[in-house]
Amino acid sequence: MTASPAAASTVAFHPETRLYIDGRLRESSTGNTVDNINPATEEVLGITTDAGVQDMDEAIAAARRTFDTTDWSTNHEFRQHCLRQLHEALQEEKEEIRAELVAEVGAPLSSTYIAQLDWPLADAVRWPAEFITEFPWERTLAQDAKMGVPSNRIVVKEPIGVVGAITPWNFPFEIISNKMGQALATGNTMVLKPAIETPWSALRWGRIIAEKTDIPAGVVNIVPASDNNIAQRLLSDPRVDMISFTGSTAVGKLIQQLSADTMKRNLLELGGKSAYIVLDDADMNLALPGCMGMLIHSGQGCALTTRMLVPRQHYEQAIEVATATFAGIQCGDPTDPATFCGPLVSAKQRDRVMSYIENGKSQGARLTIGGGAPEDCSRGYYVAPSVFADVTPDMRIFQEEIFGPVLTITPYDGGDDGAVELANNSVYGLAGAVMGSPQRAMAVARRIRTGSMMVNGGMWYGADAPFGGYKMSGIGRQNGLEGFEQYLQTKVIGHPAE
């Protein structure tokens, strides 16, 4: 069908509620279910199967057996064929996926035409599938002759094994697709533990794989569970070789601790507190309203630029423009194409954001707009777009990830050096943006200690672009050549020269 913003919110979708383990769609061994809540209305959308310990153990066993006993890890052509099938099958269900994301994630319809769906749908599976052909799986080193034995030497790239993928609720399709595309293209098998808040966006993958691809049983297993102890079995089980996690830094630390005994490789894409840097030679008419970008999905994104840093001479203007800009943002029903800022995912997340707002006020920051639920949103987990001025680097709202529609504004002195120092005053280092004359903005971007930067609105996103962070924002990179290699082991072989 032809997609249109006006029609997509009315598309009927048919959620998959069953686990996918060892090639079978089935209910949990416990018979337990959980409610799937619409965050915009607080109504129950339906139920989903809630996995138990036996389900997780069976999923790990299936992934291990399939990796060890089939040619999935070595048959490049077959993997490419299967991933192309998967890519095409996902395109066929595009509008159902879109409607599902709006319903269970609370994602504004407009966000599904960018990073929430359309961008990853285009290349997250397709790009790694095609890269199978391009990637240098082997390379030859110079001949050597130690101990008098002339030897040829080759470096071989091999899949790491069983990947435990743990994904969050904020951009479920985007994050799952980028993990699955890369992990499968490199020849691994996987157990996916998605967020229980948004299970349908994950379980749909199981039905598509089962019904529309030749991906063998056991290659992909999908096990949502409300009990975190069940997810933690992925971290301690020696049959799992790697953990690929996207989520909070606090959980990332726990993953490192619990996976240490089995020396698992960890790919951790964690929190962020990214800066939106305005230089003194920027076009203020363009740069200052650009702060609204952090409201995408109500600020529930790790790479969103939630700290606005402006030269002191433009500080009052920045406060005025940001406040007016946020006042003009439509906040409400995510199915309305005009809505830019929807609900938070849960009551728990709403309360967390509100606690940060109260903390900001108690520490002396000045709230210029927002700070509570929008007036016309009597139901749903909403927080109005909020702006804090007079924010200093010692405040929690400057340093900690709020994960909600809250912008802080801080002035800086000392020219570009002052901007860089303030931007780097963070334990995080995931992303950022800088606005200014091209040469100066590029120079500043190179000095910011983050894994990605936007300069004057330039976009870096894509399946071919490595994404990850410095410092407490994580370990490793997802996507691109660097992400591809994250899921591979390296072996060197020497053999006598003929």
Side-chain angles (χ1 to χ4, degrees):
M1 65 179 292
T2 301
S4 69
S9 65
T10 64
V11 172
F13 59 91
H14 304 88
E16 178 55 62
T17 65
R18 295 168 292 177
L19 310 178
Y20 183 60
I21 298 175
D22 203 10
R24 292 177 52 237
L25 295 163
R26 63 172 180 79
E27 306 299 334
S28 166
S29 60
T30 65
N32 293 339
T33 62
V34 292
D35 290 338
N36 195 359
I37 306 297
N38 184 329
T41 66
E42 303 182 45
E43 296 175 350
V44 176
L45 289 165
I47 57 104
T48 192
T49 303
D50 189 9
V53 170
Q54 180 181 333
D55 303 309
M56 181 60 77
D57 286 345
E58 289 178 3
I60 294 171
R64 183 78 262 167
R65 184 190 68 249
T66 303
F67 183 83
D68 291 341
T69 64
T70 73
D71 70 345
W72 174 257
S73 65
T74 57
N75 194 332
H76 295 180
E77 291 183 2
F78 180 61
R79 292 206 306 271
Q80 189 172 64
H81 158 75
C82 290
L83 287 172
R84 286 170 174 166
Q85 286 181 319
L86 179 57
H87 171 76
E88 292 302 323
L90 290 166
Q91 312 308 306
E92 294 172 3
E93 302 195 13
K94 179 178 183 177
E95 297 310 317
E96 284 200 23
I97 297 170
R98 189 186 312 282
E100 194 168 65
L101 288 168
V102 173
E104 75 165 353
V105 183
L109 183 58
S110 58
S111 73
T112 69
Y113 289 87
I114 50 175
Q116 192 69 254
L117 176 61
D118 280 12
W119 290 354
L121 186 69
D123 64 0
V125 174
R126 179 189 57 79
W127 187 86
E130 301 307 323
F131 198 58
I132 293 172
T133 302
E134 302 174 24
F135 183 74
W137 295 95
E138 294 187 8
R139 76 177 190 273
T140 302
L141 303 180
Q143 192 178 93
D144 200 5
K146 288 183 174 61
M147 299 184 70
V149 181
S151 297
N152 293 325
R153 299 176 298 158
I154 58 172
V155 177
V156 179
K157 297 290 185 177
E158 300 176 341
I160 197 165
V162 175
V163 175
I166 304 174
T167 57
W169 44 257
N170 59 330
F171 284 79
F173 181 87
E174 194 273 346
I175 295 169
I176 289 170
S177 59
N178 281 309
K179 290 191 187 301
M180 193 173 297
Q182 297 260 332
L184 299 189
T186 44
N188 299 284
T189 58
M190 68 186 301
V191 178
L192 170 63
K193 191 279 172 188
I196 199 64
E197 293 87 349
T198 55
W200 292 349
S201 298
L203 292 171
R204 177 178 291 268
W205 287 81
R207 181 183 54 73
I208 289 175
I209 289 170
E211 296 179 356
K212 298 185 177 182
T213 78
D214 296 323
I215 295 175
V219 169
V220 176
N221 305 272
I222 305 176
V223 192
S226 60
D227 184 349
N228 287 333
N229 290 322
I230 294 172
Q232 288 179 13
R233 300 181 76 85
L234 288 169
L235 312 181
S236 57
D237 196 306
R239 295 171 294 180
V240 178
D241 301 291
M242 174 180 173
I243 298 296
S244 179
F245 170 75
T246 297
S248 72
T249 296
V251 176
K253 291 180 179 180
L254 179 65
I255 286 172
Q256 283 201 288
Q257 294 168 7
L258 296 182
S259 63
D261 284 348
T262 52
M263 286 295 175
K264 299 187 197 309
R265 181 180 298 177
N266 286 336
L267 169 56
L268 305 175
E269 193 268 284
L270 307 176
K273 192 69 176 177
S274 302
Y276 183 79
I277 306 165
V278 180
L279 303 183
D280 58 22
D281 65 352
D283 181 344
M284 296 298 159
N285 292 325
L286 293 175
L288 296 181
C291 66
M292 68 177 287
M294 66 80 49
L295 291 175
I296 292 173
H297 197 23
S298 301
Q300 297 173 112
C302 53
L304 296 175
T305 49
T306 56
R307 291 185 297 149
M308 188 178 186
L309 312 180
V310 296
R312 190 170 297 277
Q313 64 267 34
H314 295 288
Y315 179 54
E316 293 302 328
Q317 180 187 5
I319 297 170
E320 180 181 349
V321 171
T323 302
T325 300
F326 276 44
I329 297 296
Q330 179 165 322
C331 181
D333 181 4
T335 68
D336 185 341
T339 295
F340 189 76
C341 189
L344 300 180
V345 76
S346 65
K348 177 182 177 181
Q349 184 62 18
R350 177 200 57 199
D351 294 346
R352 179 179 186 272
V353 172
M354 287 303 303
S355 72
Y356 271 106
I357 289 174
E358 292 306 312
N359 180 266
K361 291 190 290 186
S362 70
Q363 287 196 309
R366 174 163 53 99
L367 188 68
T368 68
I369 193 169
E375 292 183 1
D376 55 349
C377 294
S378 59
R379 299 187 67 187
Y381 309 126
Y382 289 93
V383 174
S386 306
V387 175
F388 272 111
D390 303 342
V391 177
T392 57
D394 60 324
M395 294 180 179
R396 287 183 62 196
I397 60 172
F398 182 94
Q399 293 290 346
E400 297 180 20
E401 185 176 43
I402 299 174
F403 229 59
V406 182
L407 176 74
T408 66
I409 307 179
T410 303
Y412 65 84
D413 301 299
D416 295 357
D417 289 345
V420 170
E421 180 181 2
L422 194 58
N424 285 336
N425 184 352
S426 174
V427 297
Y428 296 109
L430 188 59
V434 57
M435 303 290 287
S437 59
Q439 186 173 358
R440 281 179 59 188
M442 279 295 294
V444 167
R446 292 179 183 277
R447 297 171 63 190
I448 306 301
R449 290 185 53 76
T450 63
S452 55
M453 286 291 294
M454 293 174 57
V455 173
N456 292 328
M459 294 295 296
W460 48 263
Y461 182 91
D464 59 348
F467 178 63
Y470 293 22
K471 299 186 280 187
M472 300 298 282
S473 286
I475 298 172
R477 293 295 182 270
Q478 183 162 283
N479 288 352
L481 169 62
E482 291 78 4
F484 209 78
E485 292 189 325
Q486 202 78 42
Y487 292 95
L488 296 170
Q489 286 282 24
T490 301
K491 176 183 292 182
V492 61
I493 301 173
H495 60 98
E498 297 179 356

